[in-house]
Amino acid sequence: MIPSYLQELCKSQSYNPDNFFLIAGPCVVESESLLDEVAGTVSRICARLEIPYVFKASYRKANRTSASSFTGIGDETALQLLQKTGQKYNLPVTSDIHAYDEAAPAAKYIDILQIPAFLCRQTDLLVAAAETGKIVNVKKGQFLSGPSMQFAVDKIKKAGNNNILLTERGTTFGYQDLVVDYRNIPWMQAHGVPVVMDCTHSLQQPNQTSGVTGGNPQLIETIAKAAIATGADGLFIETHPNPAVAKSDGANMLRLELLEPLLEKLVKLRKAVI
């Protein structure tokens, strides 16, 4: 399901309403040239495949394992580049916020406020995001079940905002791995909101002793296919021209050149299951 509030954001795009929607981009704003390359490439692919597309990049990474990890190029600069990229390619844009006082400033530049999984229970953050009137995409905590995300939905709705997405991104399994329980897709859809599958973060291997998060990007296609088969409304995929040199989450991002053949397969699968 592509909700009416997302259809409005994507109204300048030509897409098949029976398709899934895609949220994709690099993990973090590294440079204007990176945003331009990824947004230009993915928007061209999505236009051909008639997939509604939301561009994603974090303007700041507050949740890094090591204190020495890259966090961003500066909030204002990164937000301005996100807005510029969205305007250039006629795309809605999304980024993470990590504290309640980030919501209103970020909402001046972006269309969808994303709540990181480990903050999905923070009431003041959810309420502040809701009060901007923007779409709020809440990632399910790695420590929560799909049914328990009803409380996050309730907080946002009680703050006067019904424009909500929920994103599945795996559940903590052991100490340094995640596992995807696909029951969470229909369970969270039962809350009356569209559900997105995060195909890249669900393959993270967090909390490595090296201080750098690991991942299994070779399984992105597996996660994505299973998500489409189980009825996910949208997909979230972080992608980069060269993940090996990415400044954040390179270990689980999809190489940009692999995105088009993957989406071609997923569009065919979507047609087969609807």
Side-chain angles (χ1 to χ4, degrees):
M1 176 184 67
I2 302 172
S4 58
Y5 39 90
L6 186 54
Q7 290 179 31
E8 179 64 22
L9 284 182
C10 296
K11 62 184 178 182
S12 63
Q13 302 178 36
S14 177
Y15 62 86
N16 181 350
D18 291 329
N19 250 334
F20 55 89
F21 59 90
L22 177 68
I23 301 173
C27 179
V28 66
V29 176
E30 299 178 17
S31 66
E32 182 172 2
S33 61
L34 174 65
L35 299 192
D36 193 66
E37 180 178 1
V38 175
T41 301
V42 182
S43 61
R44 174 187 58 78
I45 296 168
C46 287
R48 182 177 70 80
L49 297 175
E50 298 184 306
I51 300 170
Y53 174 41
V54 177
F55 180 72
K56 181 271 169 188
S58 296
Y59 69 88
R60 172 159 46 92
K61 296 299 293 183
N63 50 329
R64 304 308 307 277
T65 301
S66 171
S68 61
S69 295
F70 177 80
T71 58
I73 61 174
D75 291 1
E76 189 76 14
T77 299
L79 283 165
Q80 289 175 353
L81 288 178
L82 282 170
Q83 184 182 59
K84 181 179 179 180
T85 302
Q87 291 172 345
K88 179 175 180 179
Y89 294 100
N90 291 316
L91 299 171
V93 295
T94 184
S95 193
D96 318 72
I97 59 171
H98 300 86
Y100 72 90
D101 56 356
E102 294 177 28
K108 296 176 183 177
Y109 299 93
I110 62 179
D111 304 290
I112 301 175
L113 299 176
Q114 181 173 286
I115 308 300
F118 67 99
L119 295 176
C120 69
R121 297 179 72 244
Q122 297 298 107
T123 302
D124 56 352
L125 176 59
L126 293 173
V127 171
E131 289 177 343
T132 67
K134 299 287 186 173
I135 296 174
V136 182
N137 179 20
V138 187
K139 289 195 167 184
K140 181 185 73 63
Q142 303 94 320
F143 43 85
L144 292 177
S145 68
S148 64
M149 287 299 288
Q150 177 67 58
F151 301 106
V153 172
D154 289 345
K155 289 175 184 179
I156 296 169
K157 288 185 174 180
K158 287 179 180 178
N161 190 333
N162 292 316
N163 302 333
I164 305 166
L165 304 173
L166 293 180
T167 295
E168 164 65 24
R169 53 95 74 229
T171 302
T172 299
F173 182 69
Y175 290 99
Q176 295 169 326
D177 207 356
L178 298 168
V179 66
V180 177
D181 182 349
Y182 285 94
R183 296 176 299 176
N184 283 319
I185 292 176
W187 278 342
M188 291 197 290
Q189 287 171 330
H191 304 323
V193 299
V195 174
V196 180
M197 181 69 227
D198 185 337
C199 304
T200 44
H201 288 100
S202 59
L203 290 167
Q204 279 185 333
Q205 293 178 312
N207 306 317
Q208 300 295 308
T209 55
S210 65
V212 178
T213 296
N216 288 295
Q218 70 276 10
L219 293 174
I220 291 172
E221 181 171 328
T222 301
I223 294 292
K225 285 179 175 177
I228 294 299
T230 49
D233 302 287
L235 298 177
F236 178 108
I237 299 175
E238 286 191 338
T239 183
H240 192 285
N242 185 0
V245 301
K247 295 184 178 181
S248 176
D249 276 5
N252 55 269
M253 276 196 281
L254 181 70
R255 184 177 289 274
L256 185 58
E257 65 185 18
L258 300 178
L259 182 63
E260 187 165 15
L262 172 59
L263 291 176
E264 288 174 344
K265 294 176 184 178
L266 297 176
V267 167
K268 292 178 181 177
L269 179 58
R270 174 75 169 193
K271 290 178 180 178
V273 298
I274 60 172

